[in-house]
Amino acid sequence: MHSHAPHPLAKQAVREVCVPPVDSIVEFGAYVQGRKVPATTITDALGLVREHNKNKNADGANAFVWVGLHEPAAPEVEWLSEVFGLHPLAVEDAVKAHQRPKVERYGESLFMVLKTIAYLDHDELTANSEIIATGEIMVFLGVDFVVTVRHGEHCPLTVVRERLEDKPKLMNRGPAGVLHAISDHVVDQYLQVADLMQLELEEVEATVFADVSSRDINRIYQLKREMLEMKRAVTPLQSPLAALPQRRVIPSEMREYFRDVGDHLSRVCEQVESSNELCSSILQAALARSNALANEDMRKISSWVAILAVPTMIAGIYGMNFDFMPETKQVWGYPAVLAVMVTACVLLHRGFRRNGWL
């Protein structure tokens, strides 16, 4: 039998299946006793942490590695899956994104998906304005590591990392403490966006009835679509977050903190639902007011048509070419006809005004 050597390009393709993250990595670090310790690479940081956890005393702190990525490529995440032992299904979800909020357990590790939302500033709300931007944060949680994968330009986790690093007591809570800080940060963003959307709704509600010329239904409909987008991002997280404190990987001393985040999320969901119903009511009110204004315009047009029909009819009769027409040979005939026209128009105008048509 003849043996065929693999093609050089095939070897290169095999080698490129898993590569360390370079462009997508935001920051990584090893944390021992709540403080960051020097580490050159991710594998060095993980080895340092595991050596510490292996030799720690009974009162030793939980040492762990925190790796943060932003929109990584598939080979980079696959490399991390080999280093940290991540499940292939969770890795696939982290690469593809566009996942529903969820919490799944794979062996001794936990995989959580959080939807992020951000309020976009705009000078004037129009039908084409984008008000809410959405993204995702995937969190791989293990005994001695946290890997965060963020999709989207908004809701960065740098502020969370800096806050925890400034307070070693919080960082000393371990990977579960990092997960709590991330979920609490995301839910706080929900609350801020919900408050800003409430202000937008109140402004639009005021314009529906305050300005007669403001009949931009597209603007209100756009706001309704943004509210539905926010609802789809926030509401599905309730069930996974409520079940999170019962997970075995969450220490008992951290469960109350996650329940507190769940309470905040319930408040946000109630506010979003209330705002969504208000937006629906505003849209219905705007449509009803638009129809009422259209009917009012039609009544005005019809009234003026009826008023002008009288002189038109009289002028049409006297415009016929007959020799024997009433009062055509009289001196007062022309003024009399004009007087009849004016009197009929004035009487019709007063009648329409009295009935509210004009």
Side-chain angles (χ1 to χ4, degrees):
M1 296 180 64
H2 298 282
S3 60
H4 298 280
H7 195 276
L9 293 179
K11 289 184 178 181
Q12 183 179 1
V14 172
R15 287 197 301 268
E16 290 180 353
V17 169
C18 301
V19 295
V22 180
D23 297 332
S24 63
I25 190 166
V26 178
E27 191 174 354
F28 74 91
Y31 298 91
V32 178
Q33 295 181 349
R35 299 187 181 276
K36 189 175 182 178
V37 296
T40 306
T41 64
I42 295 176
T43 52
D44 291 342
L46 185 61
L48 188 152
V49 162
R50 289 181 174 173
E51 184 67 23
H52 175 272
N53 289 339
K54 181 180 179 181
N55 300 324
K56 71 177 181 180
N57 299 325
D59 58 348
N62 289 327
F64 66 95
V65 177
W66 183 359
V67 180
L69 305 174
H70 179 242
E71 297 182 355
E76 297 176 335
V77 184
E78 290 171 358
W79 182 85
L80 289 174
S81 70
E82 292 183 356
V83 174
F84 294 101
L86 308 179
H87 196 276
L89 293 178
V91 170
E92 182 181 356
D93 290 343
V95 173
K96 290 184 177 180
H98 303 293
Q99 306 293 323
R100 283 176 58 87
K102 61 182 179 179
V103 176
E104 294 181 349
R105 177 186 171 188
Y106 297 100
E108 296 299 321
S109 64
L110 201 69
F111 177 65
M112 185 173 186
V113 178
L114 298 166
K115 281 282 188 180
T116 61
I117 59 175
Y119 181 86
L120 302 180
D121 293 329
H122 50 272
D123 297 331
E124 183 180 357
L125 179 62
T126 63
N128 299 322
S129 298
E130 186 179 4
I131 307 173
I132 294 178
T134 59
E136 294 175 34
I137 294 178
M138 285 84 165
V139 183
F140 296 91
L141 186 74
V143 178
D144 52 11
F145 67 86
V146 178
V147 178
T148 57
V149 179
R150 183 169 60 91
H151 292 269
E153 299 298 328
H154 305 282
C155 198
L157 298 178
T158 304
V159 62
V160 178
R161 186 187 292 267
E162 291 176 352
R163 179 167 58 87
L164 292 177
E165 289 179 350
D166 290 341
K167 298 180 180 179
K169 183 178 180 181
L170 297 179
M171 189 68 82
N172 198 30
R173 293 172 177 172
V178 174
L179 180 61
H180 166 262
I182 294 173
S183 58
D184 186 56
H185 176 67
V186 171
V187 173
D188 286 343
Q189 288 288 106
Y190 290 169
L191 187 58
Q192 294 177 13
V193 175
D195 291 338
L196 292 172
M197 289 298 294
Q198 184 70 27
L199 295 177
E200 289 280 3
L201 287 172
E202 292 175 358
E203 180 183 348
V204 171
E205 183 182 20
T207 60
V208 168
F209 298 99
D211 189 1
V212 177
S213 63
S214 179
R215 308 180 193 176
D216 191 1
I217 304 299
N218 292 333
R219 177 185 176 188
I220 305 174
Y221 183 69
Q222 172 70 8
L223 198 59
K224 172 69 175 177
R225 290 174 56 188
E226 296 293 326
M227 287 302 306
L228 290 176
E229 182 72 17
M230 184 175 178
K231 183 178 180 180
R232 284 194 293 267
V234 173
T235 305
L237 184 59
Q238 274 190 297
S239 179
L241 194 57
L244 191 59
Q246 281 72 45
R247 299 284 181 173
R248 189 174 63 181
V249 296
I250 304 299
S252 57
E253 64 271 14
M254 289 297 303
R255 291 173 181 174
E256 291 297 329
Y257 292 95
F258 284 101
R259 292 192 184 99
D260 181 66
V261 177
D263 292 340
H264 292 171
L265 179 62
S266 298
R267 175 190 167 191
V268 173
C269 291
E270 292 174 359
Q271 185 172 348
V272 169
E273 184 66 29
S274 176
S275 298
N276 187 44
E277 293 178 359
L278 176 60
C279 191
S280 299
S281 300
I282 293 173
L283 182 59
Q284 294 175 1
L287 292 172
R289 181 161 177 78
S290 179
N291 293 332
L293 292 174
N295 292 334
E296 184 178 345
D297 291 341
M298 289 302 299
R299 285 187 299 178
K300 290 180 180 180
I301 295 172
S302 301
S303 299
W304 284 111
V305 169
I307 292 173
L308 295 175
V310 173
T312 302
M313 180 186 66
I314 297 175
I317 293 174
Y318 278 90
M320 293 187 292
N321 296 321
F322 290 101
D323 292 333
F324 302 99
M325 295 288 290
E327 290 82 32
T328 55
K329 303 299 183 180
Q330 301 295 330
V331 177
W332 48 265
Y334 184 68
V337 172
L338 291 180
V340 171
M341 291 182 182
V342 172
T343 303
C345 291
V346 170
L347 292 176
L348 286 173
H349 187 271
R350 290 182 61 184
F352 287 131
R353 285 288 299 271
R354 191 181 301 112
N355 293 330
W357 283 47
L358 290 175

